[in-house]
Amino acid sequence: MFAGRTTNVTAVRRKNNEITFFEVPRKTTPWIQKMKKIPLVRGVVAILESSAKGSQHLNFSMESYAEDELEDVKDETAPVKEKKGWSLSMIVGVAVAGILSFVAGKLVFTVVPAMIEQLIFGHAFKNIIVHNLIEGVIKILFLLSYLYIISLTPLIKRLFQYHGAEHKVISAYEAGAELTVANVQRFTRLHYRCGSSFIVFSVLVGIVVYSFFHWDSLWERVYIRVLLLPVVLGASYEALRFTNALRDLPVLRFLGYPGLWLQKLTTKEPTDEQVAVSIASFNRMLEIDRQGVKA
């Protein structure tokens, strides 16, 4: 999936080798546009919006895969059911599901490490900063273990390969290289602007933010983290923007390294066929953007 100035585009290779596209205009209401200009707030808005739109595109790819599988086993004598487009209710439903999934997942990865640290080290010492550092370590280990385990499944591994293909295409385009499979494969699958980097920053920023708040019990510690979650997300987004702005400075490039290291788990080396699909998606996005400029 690639996000252009006017449209988000996803390309899917079907079993008959045809590449189909799913295109969603990037339209937002005026009040959301205004919120995207407010520091800290814009991060939360952008994350929720990305979760909603990402779920729509992922659902399209899953539907395409399911249709191809059904095509292989369907009764040839049965009437073919005409495929209908997405209705507004379907789009809204998938978007809401994507947002709720993100919020639920973020709550789990925020609350569970805090509870584990409190149960094991709650009475070992009183220094809040040390407690937060241990909680951060537990959170990172929890996250890395989760990503590693799911990356072993064929479906997620394939998803991570396409993630790597997206990064290679963007890197090749930014370098001014012709977008051919051979050229694109020469580039790294790691990219500074990847959302995976945000996950690392949310852990590091959380350690700092939570250190300003004292708690006297496990439940007080938990609800403080839940209440501060929007603050941590917003500050993490600003930190990511800051490191992206400094990525070309030799001395300060290391600020983005934690996110790049995490991408070694969230991306995999893609096949030539997967790179070809990513190139098709990117070119389609550019084509739509050019049409929008001409219009």
Side-chain angles (χ1 to χ4, degrees):
M1 183 190 82
F2 290 97
R5 292 190 297 271
T6 61
T7 308
N8 293 336
V9 179
T10 289
V12 175
R13 186 188 295 277
R14 309 300 292 264
K15 277 199 169 182
N16 60 4
N17 255 349
E18 177 188 0
I19 295 179
T20 58
F21 299 94
F22 180 58
E23 303 160 4
V24 180
R26 297 188 65 180
K27 293 181 180 179
T28 55
T29 58
W31 66 271
I32 291 181
Q33 285 293 94
K34 292 180 180 179
M35 293 181 69
K36 285 184 177 181
K37 298 178 181 179
I38 304 175
L40 295 180
V41 175
R42 62 188 174 191
V44 178
V45 174
I47 293 162
L48 294 179
E49 187 177 50
S50 296
S51 299
K53 292 182 177 179
S55 296
Q56 295 175 24
H57 288 262
L58 186 59
N59 193 71
F60 167 76
S61 63
M62 293 175 64
E63 281 187 348
S64 300
Y65 176 80
E67 287 175 7
D68 284 343
E69 291 300 308
L70 288 174
E71 188 70 21
D72 290 340
V73 298
K74 75 176 183 179
D75 182 359
E76 297 294 339
T77 61
V80 178
K81 185 178 181 180
E82 181 181 357
K83 178 175 170 42
K84 297 181 179 180
W86 283 39
S87 64
L88 178 60
S89 60
M90 290 173 62
I91 294 175
V92 172
V94 172
V96 171
I99 293 175
L100 292 178
S101 297
F102 170 80
V103 173
K106 190 58 184 172
L107 285 174
V108 169
F109 278 94
T110 298
V111 171
V112 173
M115 296 178 67
I116 292 175
E117 198 282 335
Q118 181 74 11
L119 292 174
I120 298 176
F121 302 100
H123 301 289
F125 40 81
K126 295 184 178 180
N127 191 305
I128 292 180
I129 295 179
V130 176
H131 278 293
N132 288 338
L133 288 173
I134 296 176
E135 177 186 337
V137 172
I138 293 173
K139 190 177 296 184
I140 290 175
L141 292 176
F142 190 23
L143 174 65
L144 294 179
S145 299
Y146 169 76
L147 290 174
Y148 175 73
I149 291 172
I150 66 172
S151 70
L152 298 178
T153 63
L155 183 61
I156 300 301
K157 179 181 178 181
R158 186 171 178 82
L159 179 65
F160 286 176
Q161 284 178 303
Y162 273 111
H163 189 191
E166 291 172 350
H167 286 182
K168 284 174 174 277
V169 170
I170 293 174
S171 296
Y173 177 77
E174 291 176 340
E178 182 183 359
L179 295 184
T180 64
V181 172
N183 284 345
V184 170
Q185 285 286 34
R186 292 190 293 105
F187 288 84
T188 177
R189 73 178 196 268
L190 311 181
H191 198 280
Y192 262 86
R193 293 198 302 277
C194 176
S196 299
S197 301
F198 170 81
I199 301 175
V200 177
F201 282 113
S202 66
V203 175
L204 300 178
V205 171
I207 293 174
V208 177
V209 173
Y210 298 146
S211 297
F212 290 96
F213 297 86
H214 179 76
W215 68 87
D216 295 314
S217 66
L218 171 61
W219 297 115
E220 186 177 352
R221 182 177 184 175
V222 168
Y223 81 69
I224 284 176
R225 273 142 182 75
V226 172
L227 291 177
L228 290 175
L229 187 55
V231 177
V232 172
L233 294 177
S236 301
Y237 182 82
E238 300 301 328
L240 181 60
R241 285 171 58 94
F242 179 71
T243 57
N244 284 338
L246 299 176
R247 68 182 186 275
D248 292 328
L249 299 179
V251 179
L252 300 179
R253 284 180 63 86
F254 70 90
L255 292 174
Y257 282 7
L260 295 177
W261 294 335
L262 183 62
Q263 289 176 45
K264 291 183 178 292
L265 281 177
T266 61
T267 65
K268 300 292 183 183
E269 284 294 331
T271 65
D272 288 349
E273 290 77 12
Q274 291 168 332
V275 169
V277 173
S278 292
I279 292 174
S281 178
F282 190 79
N283 285 336
R284 178 58 182 159
M285 179 269 292
L286 291 179
E287 179 185 352
I288 295 175
D289 277 352
R290 294 190 190 101
Q291 292 173 351
V293 171
K294 291 179 181 179

